[in-house]
Amino acid sequence: MTARPAAPELTDGHIRLRGPREDDIPAITAASQDPDIARWTMVPSGYTEDDALAFVRGTHRPGGDEISLVILDAATEELLGTIGLRIDGPAGVGDIGYWVKREARGRGVATRAVRLVATWAFAARGLGRIELMAATENAASRRVAERAGFTLEGILRARLPGPDGRLDAALYSLLPSDLGGGAQG
């Protein structure tokens, strides 16, 4: 198995991103019980502490170049969600995914986390493109992509697995030149 790359520590003053630790397991497990997380992400329904331990240890997706981070409130250190970046190094392309716990939604947490990771990935990893895929029916995640500056490229039919069958996905992309000084929301 390929070792997980070192996780960066990133902050914008409102949220802080860092690598997951074993003391995050109870909060990750509790938040992952939300059926909307299983509905829209690859987090399985009935997520257990063993699943969270595999996430923390980086064994949840063996192989490849993937960076997993937890999203924390910068002031309180409360766990708000997770974000990950899978990197296809030879292609210079990243794929970003995230979830935010129910109590933290609607506060710009995901948008801020996506922008922090994207900015870091372009600068530190030299990526030329980052992709974000969201189920077409997942309006909240699509808003995150748009607020983070991503461009909708198209709809991929039956691209994502869902609890009740395959889901169409909206494919968004972000290039280094797309990162301006716009407000995060």
Side-chain angles (χ1 to χ4, degrees):
M1 177 177 69
T2 303
R4 179 171 35 188
E9 293 223 9
L10 308 169
T11 188
D12 67 359
H14 297 279
I15 63 166
R16 185 167 79 92
L17 309 179
R18 64 159 168 76
R21 303 186 307 223
E22 288 196 15
D23 61 344
D24 297 320
I25 289 173
I28 292 169
T29 304
S32 296
Q33 303 312 304
D34 177 358
D36 282 340
I37 291 175
R39 178 180 181 196
W40 300 124
T41 72
M42 302 301 280
V43 173
S45 181
Y47 194 84
T48 67
E49 286 198 353
D50 287 340
D51 294 320
L53 181 61
F55 170 76
V56 167
R57 291 184 174 167
T59 57
H60 63 296
R61 288 193 179 147
D65 192 356
E66 181 168 349
I67 296 159
S68 298
L69 303 165
V70 292
I71 307 168
L72 305 169
D73 180 289
T76 68
E77 294 291 303
E78 175 189 3
L79 187 131
L80 305 175
T82 68
I83 187 164
L85 179 71
R86 283 191 307 258
I87 299 172
D88 179 344
V93 175
D95 173 31
I96 203 161
Y98 52 86
W99 61 257
V100 172
K101 72 180 188 176
R102 180 176 305 279
E103 300 83 3
R105 292 181 195 145
R107 299 185 348 211
V109 169
T111 302
R112 288 176 178 283
V114 167
R115 291 285 296 212
L116 280 170
V117 169
T119 301
W120 171 84
F122 289 137
R125 298 300 299 266
L127 297 185
R129 172 184 172 91
I130 296 176
E131 297 176 347
L132 188 157
M133 230 183 302
T136 56
E137 295 177 11
N138 187 347
S141 195
R142 294 186 69 179
R143 279 192 304 275
V144 166
E146 292 160 5
R147 289 179 179 156
F150 283 69
T151 298
L152 176 64
E153 292 191 343
I155 304 299
L156 307 176
R157 298 180 316 143
R159 175 61 176 87
L160 299 172
D164 299 320
R166 303 218 42 100
L167 302 171
D168 292 348
L171 175 64
Y172 291 86
S173 68
L174 186 72
L175 306 179
S177 59
D178 297 332
L179 289 178
Q184 296 180 13

